[in-house]
Amino acid sequence: MTTSRRNFLGLALAGLAATAAGCAAASGGTTKTLRYQGWAGQVTPPELAADLGYLGDVTLQWVGDTISGPQDIQSAATGQVDFGGAFNGAVVKLAAAGAPITSVLGYYGVDKLEFNGFYVLENSPIRGPHDLAGKKIGMNTLGAHSEAMLDIYLQRHGLSKEDIAKAEPVALPPVNTELSLRQGNIEVAVLDGILRDKALARGGIRPLFTDYELLGAFTAGTYVLRKDFIERNPDTVRTFVSGVAKAIEWSKTTPREKVIERFTKIVKGRNRNEDTDPLKYWNSWGVADNGGVITDKELQLWIDWLGGRGDIRPGSVKAGDLYTNKFNSYAKGQ
């Protein structure tokens, strides 16, 4: 049975509170080695930075893969890894639960090339926000990016809280979402990346709206580190953040085919038996500001949304307290 949106959020916050309560101070001493989790078949900005030689004397130690941003930053909060990344809503939740973390760099987001689209069948009667009452909207996770975009879309078209609640977000594995739409099990499918591009190539679907149309370009996720790790290792953090920022800019200014070529070399070179075919669908990381510099508005979006729903206590977190740009060379003079 699919978890309800309210139950999901309650369970998530309970888990985050438990994580925060169980955070133990990491062992003392400085380090030049950063433990992290990767993503199978993908190249992350830190991995690209390391391959390009932008991390100087700082090395990365891969400890395994993850399929969850919230899990990744919880692992960072508990000291199992040294940095983790997730969408900013998860960062806000974790901070509101008391975890001693700080965002240091934006690493993915939304732009004209990298976006989430809400798609319906070509012959669907759904044409606008008022048609979504009682309709099932398939998305990868409840209480996260896609549900927030849905709520904001409906709010901006003047729907009341009661009418917004009539739309029915449904959690589905991303690989099953398109098929569920075509089989009529859901009326709207949230698709992005390779899954979106392949679905569009097959035809028979059309966009209702996209998050890029809704909010324009914005950075959606950040890397976090524990505050005590930052205090002990400021030089390491500065090298890491500025190196990854430089790699993000390299990906923006280098021809796409050259970026994909580099990604393919990296994945093949680490010998983890990964499929490199999806890499050819890469278009952008969608990082809005130069070098992943973080702004208040990118976190305030989530503070407002979560607070308005009662999922975090209003005033429990302030955007400016959740991040720092002082280690990012691209933030000079800002």
Side-chain angles (χ1 to χ4, degrees), residues 2-318:
T2 303
T3 304
S4 73
R5 62 200 292 188
R6 187 61 57 186
N7 286 343
F8 174 87
L9 287 162
L11 291 169
L13 286 172
L16 293 175
T19 297
C23 283
S27 58
T30 60
T31 182
K32 292 290 185 180
T33 300
L34 299 180
R35 300 163 299 151
Y36 79 102
Q37 297 182 108
W39 292 73
Q42 299 181 36
V43 175
T44 65
E47 290 170 332
L48 176 63
D51 189 70
L52 291 170
Y54 292 166
L55 297 186
D57 60 352
V58 172
T59 59
L60 301 180
Q61 181 183 339
W62 176 72
V63 299
D65 287 327
T66 185
I67 58 171
S68 166
Q71 181 275 332
D72 198 27
I73 62 173
Q74 287 183 50
S75 294
T78 56
Q80 295 170 283
V81 295
D82 296 312
F83 69 88
F87 81 100
N88 284 329
V91 173
V92 170
K93 289 181 186 179
L94 194 58
I101 56 169
T102 297
S103 291
V104 295
L105 182 76
Y107 73 101
Y108 84 91
V110 171
D111 62 19
K112 63 182 180 180
L113 298 175
E114 181 58 37
F115 57 88
N116 292 268
F118 287 64
Y119 293 90
V120 298
L121 294 177
E122 192 68 53
N123 61 356
S124 171
I126 298 174
R127 295 288 172 178
H130 294 278
D131 300 324
L132 292 176
K135 302 299 190 297
K136 294 183 174 63
I137 301 100
M139 56 188 65
N140 65 333
T141 305
L142 301 183
H145 181 98
S146 294
E147 190 171 359
M149 295 304 108
L150 174 63
D151 281 356
I152 293 170
Y153 171 69
L154 297 175
Q155 289 167 6
R156 288 195 172 183
H157 285 84
L159 275 73
S160 66
K161 287 186 177 181
E162 292 74 19
D163 287 336
I164 290 173
K166 293 176 183 177
E168 300 180 23
V170 176
L172 291 173
V175 294
N176 296 340
T177 306
E178 178 195 352
L179 181 60
S180 293
L181 175 66
R182 295 187 186 278
Q183 291 180 336
N185 297 320
I186 57 175
E187 286 80 23
V188 184
V190 182
L191 303 169
D192 71 334
I194 181 175
L195 298 175
R196 177 197 63 229
D197 293 346
K198 286 189 170 183
L200 290 171
R202 280 186 276 269
I205 64 173
R206 58 178 170 81
L208 181 62
F209 72 96
T210 72
D211 49 8
Y212 178 66
E213 293 170 345
L214 188 65
L215 296 175
F218 66 98
T219 298
T222 51
Y223 284 125
V224 306
L225 294 92
R226 281 180 59 93
K227 292 179 179 179
D228 57 355
F229 183 92
I230 294 172
E231 290 171 359
R232 291 195 315 274
N233 302 282
D235 292 337
T236 298
V237 174
R238 182 172 292 105
T239 300
F240 169 73
V241 171
S242 291
V244 176
K246 187 176 180 181
I248 289 171
E249 290 308 301
W250 181 90
S251 76
K252 294 180 181 179
T253 58
T254 301
R256 177 174 173 271
E257 62 274 14
K258 294 296 183 182
V259 177
I260 294 172
E261 182 181 314
R262 191 88 183 204
F263 285 173
T264 303
K265 178 184 76 71
I266 293 170
V267 171
K268 287 183 176 179
R270 61 197 187 195
N271 297 316
R272 298 177 195 164
N273 195 30
E274 300 165 281
D275 181 13
T276 60
D277 188 62
L279 294 172
K280 67 185 181 183
Y281 291 92
W282 183 90
N283 288 303
S284 165
W285 276 318
V287 177
D289 292 285
N290 287 343
V293 171
I294 304 169
T295 63
D296 277 11
K297 64 181 181 180
E298 294 161 353
L299 291 157
Q300 192 64 48
L301 170 72
W302 297 97
I303 293 171
D304 293 342
W305 184 67
L306 293 166
R309 292 161 56 95
D311 298 320
I312 63 171
R313 182 172 53 82
S316 59
V317 290
K318 294 181 179 179

